[in-house]
């Protein structure tokens, strides 16, 4: 399988994630409301995604969406809430922790959770054991967070 496209998009997503807290925090300061900035950020993203879905011709009927909602567990729909938590956390706390500090802690949270999700095959991820190298890598990330915050 060609991994170039997924690798490029993962890197571009990392670049975007590094920029998003600063952009959204400036929006929050401009609007004098972190909550309003978060809501507007999601509104703009939602509108862009709906236009993209329409452009791709992937619209679905209300019946299809209802059937999907009824045939899946309730928690499958909380991704948007998790996104709102992430964006709002970045708006509120990235200015206090700094871009590097917030993103470093964010990364530790991501990697430690990913290790658990993969170990037990949770949320559809394939089961993968937690190796000594993965634990060392996570410890190095934690050390990196400490070093980043110690300097500042």
């Amino acid at each position: 399988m060609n991994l170039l496209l997924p690798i490029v998009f993962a890197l571009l997503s990392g670049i975007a994630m590094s920029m998003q807290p600063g952009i959204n925090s400036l929006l929050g300061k401009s609007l004098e409301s972190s909550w309003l900035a978060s809501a507007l950020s999601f509104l703009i993203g939602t509108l862009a995604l709906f236009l993209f879905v329409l452009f791709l011709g992937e619209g679905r009927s209300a019946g299809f969406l209802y059937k999907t909602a009824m045939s899946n567990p309730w928690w499958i729909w909380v991704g948007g809430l998790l996104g709102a938590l992430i964006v709002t956390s970045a708006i509120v706390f990235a200015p206090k922790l700094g871009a590097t500090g917030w993103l470093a802690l964010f990364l530790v949270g991501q990697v430690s959770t990913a290790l658990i999700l993969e170990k037990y095959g949770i949320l559809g991820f394939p089961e993968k054991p937690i190796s000594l190298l993965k634990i060392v890598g996570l410890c190095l990330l934690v050390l990196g967070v400490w070093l980043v915050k110690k300097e500042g």
Side-chain angles (χ1 to χ4, degrees):
M1 175 165 75
N2 184 357
L3 292 179
L4 181 60
L5 188 62
I7 289 170
V8 168
F9 269 86
L11 289 171
L12 289 175
S13 297
I15 291 167
M17 188 65 231
S18 295
M19 296 169 62
Q20 189 183 33
I23 290 170
N24 284 339
S25 292
L26 291 173
L27 179 62
K29 286 178 187 169
S30 173
L31 296 171
E32 299 179 359
S33 170
S34 299
W35 294 103
L36 181 57
S38 187
L40 287 173
S41 177
F42 267 84
L43 177 63
I44 293 164
T46 299
L47 291 174
L49 285 171
F50 271 119
L51 290 173
F52 191 70
V53 165
L54 289 174
F55 175 76
L56 291 177
E58 292 189 3
R60 300 287 194 258
S61 71
F64 174 81
L65 293 175
Y66 178 78
K67 180 182 172 193
T68 302
M70 293 299 113
S71 63
N72 285 289
W74 65 268
W75 50 263
I76 202 168
W77 302 99
V78 301
L81 293 174
L82 297 175
L85 169 69
I86 294 165
V87 169
T88 305
S89 169
I91 291 171
V92 174
F93 299 115
K96 293 172 178 53
L97 295 169
T100 306
W102 188 87
L103 284 164
L105 289 165
F106 182 83
L107 185 59
V108 168
Q110 283 182 307
V111 173
S112 58
T113 302
L115 287 173
I116 294 166
L117 293 175
E118 287 185 345
K119 176 173 179 29
Y120 297 105
I122 301 170
L123 301 179
F125 290 106
E127 285 188 37
K128 295 182 181 178
I130 296 178
S131 66
L132 179 60
L133 284 178
K134 289 178 182 179
I135 292 171
V136 169
L138 181 60
C139 290
L140 289 172
L141 279 174
V142 171
L143 176 62
V145 169
W146 181 75
L147 290 172
V148 165
K149 291 310 297 169
K150 183 170 174 49
E151 183 182 321

